[in-house]
């Protein structure tokens, strides 16, 4: 059973450029959440996608956008990159159970983005 | 704004020691508290806690939640060098949607 996969593993971009990160959820999962983890910090919630729509968003500017495809995979796009966008970007997948008060997220290995 | 605070931020112990990691939280709509271990990249799931006073155990690791005092502890007994990692506490407070709010983590170093 394939877990959460992310690509690329790492990349280096220049300030002002745009980047697209990709995530495939764990088999059977329908919800994808994206997190940004700066060095020495815990992950910060960017947004979550379910049924191809953004369902909730954290405190991130509009430069951060996303998309979910019919096969539940997702992309995170960041425009006009800043040095401060350098971080590990984690994707997490889960199965949405509205009747369940809590459910677990499985994390992918992350994409290490360096902005120079 | 939802907040999760972990302490200590870092800890150095010797193999065989017992450690207690702390997590306190302030969230508007608590659903569950989760503990993760992060060694290199992907956080790996340890425990999910939803009810007060019920201890969850997995081998040498255990955790308990106090919803009245808004905190949780993670205990690791007979530590091993392989326990060296960042331990992350997160609270699910999404309401009808869902999101995890993480603490900064506790960096645990176990020396032989």
């Amino acid at each position: 059973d394939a877990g959460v996969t992310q690509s690329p593993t790492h990349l280096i971009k220049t300030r002002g450029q745009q980047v697209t990160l990709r995530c495939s959820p764990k088999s059977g999962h329908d919800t994808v959440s994206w997190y940004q983890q700066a060095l020495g910090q815990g992950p910060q919630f960017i947004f979550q996608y379910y049924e191809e729509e953004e369902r909730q968003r954290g405190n991130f500017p509009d430069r951060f956008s996303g998309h979910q495809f019919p096969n539940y995979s997702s992309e995170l796009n960041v425009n006009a990159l800043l040095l401060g966008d350098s971080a590990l970007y984690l994707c997490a997948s889960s199965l949405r159970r509205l009747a369940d008060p809590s459910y677990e997220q499985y994390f992918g290995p992350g994409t290490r983005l360096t902005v120079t | 704004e939802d907040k999760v605070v972990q302490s200590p931020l870092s800890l150095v112990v010797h193999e065989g020691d017992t450690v207690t990691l702390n997590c306190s939280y302030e969230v508007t709509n608590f659903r569950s508290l989760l503990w993760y271990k992060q060694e290199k990249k992907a956080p790996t799931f340890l425990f999910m806690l939803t009810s007060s006073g019920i201890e969850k155990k997995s081998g040498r690791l255990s955790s308990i939640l106090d919803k009245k005092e808004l905190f949780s502890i993670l205990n690791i007994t007979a530590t091993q060098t392989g326990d060296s990692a960042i331990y992350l506490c997160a609270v699910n407070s999404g309401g009808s949607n869902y999101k995890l709010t993480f603490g900064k983590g506790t960096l645990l170093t176990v020396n032989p």
Side-chain angles (χ1 to χ4, degrees):
Chain A
D1 176 22
V4 181
T5 60
Q6 292 186 243
S7 63
T9 305
H10 56 269
L11 73 166
I12 300 173
K13 290 285 188 177
T14 304
R15 271 179 302 176
Q17 285 188 315
Q18 179 263 345
V19 68
T20 297
L21 310 181
R22 295 176 178 82
C23 171
S24 291
K26 180 178 167 65
S27 178
H29 283 185
D30 59 8
T31 302
V32 172
S33 301
W34 287 93
Y35 294 82
Q36 180 196 65
Q37 187 175 22
L39 202 60
Q41 302 293 318
Q44 277 196 288
F45 178 79
I46 303 175
F47 42 52
Q48 181 188 72
Y49 277 85
Y50 169 66
E51 289 185 336
E52 301 179 48
E53 287 188 19
E54 183 182 295
R55 298 293 174 167
Q56 188 149 347
R57 189 178 183 93
N59 293 326
F60 280 81
D62 292 344
R63 298 186 298 109
F64 290 77
S65 63
H67 188 77
Q68 185 179 35
F69 299 94
N71 67 353
Y72 307 120
S73 66
S74 177
E75 288 182 350
L76 164 66
N77 300 294
V78 187
N79 295 323
L81 284 167
L82 304 173
L83 295 179
D85 295 331
S86 295
L88 179 67
Y89 288 84
L90 294 164
C91 167
S93 77
S94 54
L95 178 62
R96 192 176 182 93
R97 295 192 187 103
L98 294 178
D100 191 335
S102 59
Y103 52 92
E104 182 186 331
Q105 283 187 334
Y106 291 84
F107 283 85
T111 294
R112 173 74 62 190
L113 172 64
T114 302
V115 182
T116 62
Chain B
E1 185 178 324
D2 294 345
K3 192 163 69 169
V4 176
V5 178
Q6 292 186 245
S7 64
L9 292 182
S10 67
L11 190 55
V12 180
V13 300
H14 292 290
E15 264 191 320
D17 288 350
T18 293
V19 299
T20 298
L21 310 183
N22 303 295
C23 175
S24 63
Y25 62 91
E26 292 177 32
V27 299
T28 52
N29 185 18
F30 177 90
R31 293 198 139 197
S32 59
L33 185 143
L34 298 94
W35 285 96
Y36 288 87
K37 178 182 182 182
Q38 186 174 32
E39 292 178 86
K40 291 184 180 176
K41 283 193 173 180
T44 53
F45 173 78
L46 294 175
F47 298 111
M48 180 191 292
L49 303 158
T50 56
S51 302
S52 275
I54 299 174
E55 185 182 52
K56 293 256 180 134
K57 270 184 83 76
S58 177
R60 297 175 293 103
L61 278 66
S62 64
S63 184
I64 197 160
L65 173 68
D66 186 327
K67 289 170 74 174
K68 183 180 176 186
E69 300 297 329
L70 308 182
F71 79 89
S72 173
I73 59 172
L74 175 68
N75 282 317
I76 309 175
T77 59
T79 52
Q80 302 171 356
T81 54
D83 295 328
S84 296
I86 296 171
Y87 290 83
L88 294 166
C89 173
V91 173
N92 176 11
S93 60
S96 58
N97 294 313
Y98 174 82
K99 71 172 185 178
L100 290 181
T101 301
F102 282 86
K104 289 187 176 182
T106 294
L107 174 60
L108 174 64
T109 303
V110 182
N111 291 324

